[in-house]
């Protein structure tokens, strides 16, 4: 019984981790796109300082997005190797 509960808690943890990473990924992507729109708007009025700042913010949010994607891929690899998380009928 304890082992079954432990497996259940691990499965729940996997779901929560994936959900958190996916939410973070969407959040970072949203901010990257927000700054892309601001950059494009600023480029039209040729404000170089604002343009540089928007590009810097885009690169920051893009880097965070890339790190979140890599973490999600790594997490999926690790969890896919754990046999008791694959089967829903374990124990």
């Amino acid at each position: 019984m304890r082992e079954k509960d432990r497996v259940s808690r691990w499965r729940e943890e996997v779901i929560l981790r994936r959900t958190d990473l996916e939410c973070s990924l969407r959040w970072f992507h949203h901010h990257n796109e927000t700054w892309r729109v601001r950059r494009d708007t600023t480029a039209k009025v040729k404000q170089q300082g604002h343009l540089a700042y928007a590009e810097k913010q885009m690169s920051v949010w893009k880097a965070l997005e890339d790190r979140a994607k890599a973490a999600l891929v790594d997490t999926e690899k690790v969890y896919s190797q754990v046999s008791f998380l694959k089967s829903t009928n374990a124990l």
Side-chain angles (χ1 to χ4, degrees):
M1 188 66 170
R2 286 185 194 174
E3 193 64 29
K4 189 173 183 178
D5 291 340
R6 187 175 304 140
V7 169
S8 178
R9 285 193 302 272
W10 266 98
R11 284 191 182 127
E12 182 181 6
E13 186 67 24
V14 168
I15 292 167
L16 291 173
R17 295 290 167 117
R18 274 189 198 128
T19 303
D20 286 348
L21 281 170
E22 289 168 355
C23 286
S24 296
L25 187 59
R26 285 191 299 272
W27 180 254
F28 298 148
H29 180 75
H30 165 74
H31 280 284
N32 183 27
E33 290 302 312
T34 299
W35 282 102
R36 182 181 315 280
V37 169
R38 290 177 182 171
R39 181 203 60 187
D40 294 345
T41 302
T42 301
K44 291 176 185 174
V45 293
K46 299 183 182 185
Q47 295 175 326
Q48 294 304 315
H50 292 236
L51 180 63
Y53 184 78
E55 287 178 351
K56 175 64 177 171
Q57 288 299 311
M58 277 178 48
S59 70
V60 167
W61 289 105
K62 179 65 174 154
L64 289 169
E65 182 181 355
D66 291 344
R67 287 181 67 186
K69 281 181 188 175
L72 187 59
V73 168
D74 290 345
T75 301
E76 291 296 331
K77 285 180 188 175
V78 170
Y79 290 148
S80 69
Q81 295 171 357
V82 181
S83 61
F84 70 85
L85 294 174
K86 291 179 187 175
S87 170
T88 57
N89 297 325
L91 301 173

